[in-house]
């Protein structure tokens, strides 16, 4: 430990022990980083400018810091240490930077109402919300959002109405949910800001594999934020957000009838198992 680091840590002595722990660890890692990398003053100022630019890129509909955290794998790392549970629970995954409140919809509704509905592959998504013992959870809230076939969320795309490709559903007495949409497609994360600059600088692609976002909640259970990914997508092994888990990948199955659909469509089944609030590791 350098004399300077020792001096800084000696003055981390606030009334909240957790804040002291976090700040001391952060300061220690940052000082060790400087000792290891030995940045020039110009490089250090460029790093500060990068953070300033990241903040300026944030808007009501876009959080560039969340995107940056996703691209560095930090969001997934924080997710992993905060969401332990039984082996049969549905794994959590990153929320991403484009969540916004979804319109309330009835079971079976279409969530796609834009031009992508004419272009995309019709898809029925359904499943059940259960506890980890397999008991159905009636009245659970299931919130969904996805990008269009052009890789854009409603908040990014003037061709979409706000609330398009989003929906908030409640499960029925058997814990079931279902809705109609278009098949998700892979898409690039926004690259017009600092996160994109970093991706290019380190030689990484910006692509996310095709997916639907979920946010699920039920009384007495831990809320779940997760994805369902489309099997066979070429970016499953190199997701720019490091969010793919094998348990979250599903194969769309071709269908010709059922689920109040006219003509051919695809079906994705995805059950979700929530962890009780009082769960503790054995």
């Amino acid at each position: 430990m350098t004399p300077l680091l020792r001096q800084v840590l000696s003055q981390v002595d606030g009334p909240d022990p957790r804040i002291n722990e976090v700040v001391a660890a952060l300061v220690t890692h940052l000082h060790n980083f400087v000792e290891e990398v030995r940045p020039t003053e110009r490089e250090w100022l460029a790093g500060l400018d990068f953070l300033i630019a990241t903040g300026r890129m944030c808007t009501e509909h876009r959080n560039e810091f969340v995107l940056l955290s996703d691209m560095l794998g930090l969001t997934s790392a924080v997710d992993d240490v905060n969401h332990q549970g039984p082996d049969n629970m549905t794994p959590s995954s990153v929320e991403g930077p484009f969540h916004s409140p979804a319109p309330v919809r009835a079971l079976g509704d279409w969530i796609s109402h834009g031009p992508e509905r004419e272009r995309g592959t019709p898809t029925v998504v359904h499943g059940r919300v259960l506890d980890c013992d397999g008991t159905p959870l009636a009245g659970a809230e299931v919130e969904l959002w996805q990008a269009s076939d052009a890789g854009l969320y409603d908040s990014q795309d003037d061709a979409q109405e706000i609330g398009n490709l989003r929906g908030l559903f409640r499960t029925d007495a058997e814990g079931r949910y279902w809705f109609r949409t278009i098949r998700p497609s892979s898409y690039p994360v926004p690259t017009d800001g600092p996160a994109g600059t970093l991706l290019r600088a380190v030689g990484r692609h910006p692509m996310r594999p095709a997916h639907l976002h979920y946010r699920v909640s039920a009384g007495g259970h831990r809320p779940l934020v997760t994805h369902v990914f489309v099997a066979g997508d070429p970016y499953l092994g190199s997701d720019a957000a490091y969010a793919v888990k094998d348990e979250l990948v599903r194969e769309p199955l071709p269908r010709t009838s059922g689920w109040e659909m006219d003509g051919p469509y695809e079906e994705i089944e995805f059950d979700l198992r929530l962890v009780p609030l009082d769960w503790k590791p054995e």
Side-chain angles (χ1 to χ4, degrees):
M1 182 183 296
T2 66
L4 175 60
L5 175 56
R6 187 177 294 109
Q7 181 182 10
V8 174
L9 292 178
S10 70
Q11 298 182 40
V12 179
D13 190 27
D16 188 321
R18 177 59 174 168
I19 291 177
N20 292 340
E21 177 187 10
V22 171
V23 171
L26 177 62
V27 167
T28 298
H29 284 292
L30 288 173
H31 277 249
N32 289 339
F33 167 82
V34 170
E35 286 294 308
E36 177 186 350
V37 176
R38 305 188 70 82
T40 66
E41 291 178 336
R42 181 178 179 181
E43 288 170 338
W44 188 253
L45 291 175
L48 296 179
D49 286 342
F50 179 87
L51 294 177
I52 292 169
T54 301
R56 287 175 175 166
M57 200 72 186
C58 296
T59 69
E60 179 183 358
H61 300 295
R62 173 174 174 175
N63 191 319
E64 191 76 3
F65 274 109
V66 171
L67 180 60
L68 181 61
S69 176
D70 291 352
M71 299 306 98
L72 293 174
L74 293 173
T75 309
S76 287
V78 172
D79 179 72
D80 286 344
V81 300
N82 278 279
H83 295 284
Q84 304 300 312
D87 291 341
N88 64 346
M89 74 176 190
T90 299
S92 57
S93 190
V94 304
E95 183 174 270
F98 292 108
H99 173 265
S100 62
V104 175
R105 303 193 192 275
L107 293 176
D109 276 357
W110 282 90
I111 66 170
S112 172
H113 297 283
E116 76 287 335
R117 184 163 159 183
E118 298 297 322
R119 302 187 301 257
T121 300
T123 302
V124 171
V125 182
H126 69 96
R128 296 178 300 162
V129 179
L130 313 162
D131 66 15
C132 288
D133 294 324
T135 303
L137 298 177
E141 286 193 351
V142 181
E143 185 177 7
L144 289 306
W145 65 103
Q146 70 176 94
S148 70
D149 60 330
L152 297 172
Y153 291 88
D154 56 350
S155 58
Q156 301 173 281
D157 186 3
D158 291 339
Q160 297 184 57
E161 294 182 1
I162 294 299
N164 188 46
L165 291 167
R166 300 179 188 268
L168 178 62
F169 300 88
R170 282 195 177 272
T171 58
D172 66 13
E174 300 300 320
R176 295 173 297 199
Y177 73 93
W178 75 284
F179 61 96
R180 291 173 283 186
T181 185
I182 60 164
R183 178 177 178 162
S185 60
S186 51
Y187 64 87
V189 300
T191 58
D192 57 338
T197 299
L198 181 61
L199 288 176
R200 289 187 291 274
V202 298
R204 287 178 54 203
H205 71 68
M207 298 302 294
R208 298 220 59 209
H211 62 274
L212 278 156
H213 291 272
Y214 279 73
R215 180 187 274 187
V216 186
S217 60
H221 294 78
R222 200 162 67 197
L224 172 67
V225 175
T226 193
H227 292 46
V228 60
F229 293 94
V230 176
D233 190 283
Y235 299 105
L236 286 173
S238 59
D239 178 15
Y242 303 101
V244 177
K245 298 174 182 177
D246 290 343
E247 303 93 326
L248 304 179
V249 179
R250 293 293 184 275
E251 180 78 43
L253 301 176
R255 300 291 189 231
T256 57
S257 63
W259 295 104
E260 302 178 17
M261 296 294 286
D262 297 322
Y265 65 96
E266 292 184 337
E267 177 185 351
I268 296 174
E269 183 175 4
F270 186 52
D271 290 347
L272 300 114
R273 291 179 179 261
L274 304 190
V275 179
L277 285 174
D278 59 0
W279 180 86
K280 289 181 173 53
E282 296 181 358

